[in-house]
Amino acid sequence: MAGRGPAPKDPSKRRRRNAAEPETVITPDDELRGPELPEGVLGVNTKTGELTEWHPMTLLWWKTWRESAQAQTFTDTDWAFLIDTALMHHSMWDKGQWTLAAEVRLRAAKFGATPEDRARLKLKVDDPTSAPQRPVQSPGNVSDINSRRARLTG
């Protein structure tokens, strides 16, 4: 599949230098958002006569979206769109309809599924574990820099 066009021009060579749009920064909070996948929408299993269950990969995919940092920004219409996408995801895994994979990928990209998608959306997911950690020192271990210099220089 083709990319999204040629590489962007160097901003310093542009005639118009529009101000860059600010990036939206979201901090993960491990909260479960959005609705459960609806029951009964997949129909009845003709062999057993019971309601068809969601494919385990779709359940995992849905849980990932509900726990994602991006989910903090989703509205009701976004969740409805993702439920439609979950139906395609289920058909892809359950029935082997791999022709739906491209559509699922395009739909997931609208919500920032990959680092490239998030960069295009100007969405940054803050990773609190990647921040440099300062060493913790007790107040008794801290000394004044001037007293140290005086000791070293005599």
Side-chain angles (χ1 to χ4, degrees), residues 34-46:
E36 292 281 339
L37 283 172
E39 294 182 19
V41 296
L42 300 174
V44 176
N45 186 330
T46 55

Side-chain angles (χ1 to χ4, degrees), residues 37-40 42-45 48 50-56 58-59 90 94:
L37 283 172
E39 294 182 19
L42 300 174
V44 176
N45 186 330
T48 63
E50 296 177 1
L51 288 177
T52 303
E53 300 283 327
W54 288 95
H55 192 278
T58 302
L59 292 172
H90 170 80
D94 191 53

Side-chain angles (χ1 to χ4, degrees), residues 90-127:
H90 170 80
S91 294
M92 196 174 73
W93 282 96
D94 191 53
K95 299 177 179 120
Q97 293 179 345
W98 300 108
T99 55
L100 294 172
E103 181 67 18
V104 170
R105 180 185 55 79
L106 289 172
R107 286 168 158 257
K110 294 178 182 297
F111 297 98
T114 66
E116 179 187 2
D117 299 331
R118 290 188 292 278
R120 192 179 66 258
L121 294 170
K122 296 187 182 342
L123 182 68
K124 182 177 187 296
V125 176
D126 189 29
D127 184 8

